[in-house]
Amino acid sequence: MKHEMFMRMAVDLALENVLTNKGGPFGAVIVRNGRIISIGRNQVTAKNDPSAHAEIEAIRAACKYLNTYQLTGCELYTSSEPCPMCLGAVYWAKLNGIYYAATSKDAAKIGFEDEYIYKQFNLPIEHRSIPMFRIVPENTYAPFNAWIKQPYKQGY
């Protein structure tokens, strides 16, 4: 029953966001041990920030609240299946699970490019719609070598 309550909240956040003209139709809630840790609304247009998706906003708020960069033990409830960027952030944050309502195909039907971006990942670099070029200066691996030797590094 709690799953449905948290999902309803994520969807309500998405609806409120649209009705108040504050951003796209996406909302997210992060929960830990049955308690809401953070919420997020799509703020892309409000902040002029293409990374301000509801899931990212919720992850940032949860990390700040819990004073950590890993959200192990937390679950994400989101009004729509996470886009590739948000899915990557979920993995980096090490959330325990994702619950979603609408699918990426549903989002594509109303003009969101999630499916298109997912397809781009599977293409060889030279066939992607945004060209990528590798440039390798002599110091390319200096940061990696310094990382390997760093005795006080904190892995993530």
Side-chain angles (χ1 to χ4, degrees), residues 30-33 37 62 66 70-76 94-97:
I30 293 182
V31 174
R32 184 165 158 189
N33 298 325
I37 300 300
L66 295 172
Q70 293 185 342
L71 298 175
T72 306
C74 296
E75 297 171 318
L76 171 69
K94 300 186 181 339
L95 285 147
N96 283 24

Side-chain angles (χ1 to χ4, degrees), residues 84-121:
M85 176 183 68
C86 294
L87 185 59
V90 166
Y91 277 94
W92 281 113
K94 300 186 181 339
L95 285 147
N96 283 24
I98 303 169
Y99 299 90
Y100 63 95
T103 68
S104 60
K105 288 184 187 341
D106 297 328
K109 290 176 187 173
I110 62 167
F112 291 91
E113 298 181 327
D114 301 24
E115 284 291 309
Y116 170 75
I117 297 169
Y118 273 117
K119 288 177 184 173
Q120 289 289 306
F121 285 139

Side-chain angles (χ1 to χ4, degrees), residues 4-153:
E4 188 173 323
M5 178 186 74
F6 296 134
M7 184 58 69
R8 188 181 310 272
M9 183 178 189
V11 173
D12 285 345
L13 286 166
L15 178 60
E16 176 189 3
N17 213 39
V18 172
L19 296 177
T20 58
N21 201 31
K22 292 186 178 171
F26 305 101
V29 177
I30 293 182
V31 174
R32 184 165 158 189
N33 298 325
R35 201 181 90 200
I36 295 170
I37 300 300
S38 69
I39 63 168
R41 296 174 181 87
N42 179 284
Q43 298 288 291
V44 170
T45 55
K47 291 184 174 183
N48 289 322
D49 178 355
S51 70
H53 290 200
E55 297 90 338
I56 300 292
E57 294 291 299
I59 288 170
R60 288 174 179 156
C63 288
K64 185 175 182 177
Y65 176 76
L66 295 172
N67 193 33
T68 184
Y69 57 90
Q70 293 185 342
L71 298 175
T72 306
C74 296
E75 297 171 318
L76 171 69
Y77 292 82
T78 180
S79 62
S80 184
E81 183 179 358
C83 75
M85 176 183 68
C86 294
L87 185 59
V90 166
Y91 277 94
W92 281 113
K94 300 186 181 339
L95 285 147
N96 283 24
I98 303 169
Y99 299 90
Y100 63 95
T103 68
S104 60
K105 288 184 187 341
D106 297 328
K109 290 176 187 173
I110 62 167
F112 291 91
E113 298 181 327
D114 301 24
E115 284 291 309
Y116 170 75
I117 297 169
Y118 273 117
K119 288 177 184 173
Q120 289 289 306
F121 285 139
N122 293 320
L123 295 174
I125 289 174
E126 62 275 7
H127 292 126
R128 292 180 183 166
S129 65
I130 297 176
M132 293 176 64
F133 308 97
R134 186 168 186 215
I135 299 172
V136 187
E138 74 276 352
N139 64 343
T140 295
Y141 296 105
F144 288 2
N145 292 333
W147 176 259
I148 289 168
K149 295 174 186 171
Q150 174 57 263
Y152 304 109
K153 67 182 167 237

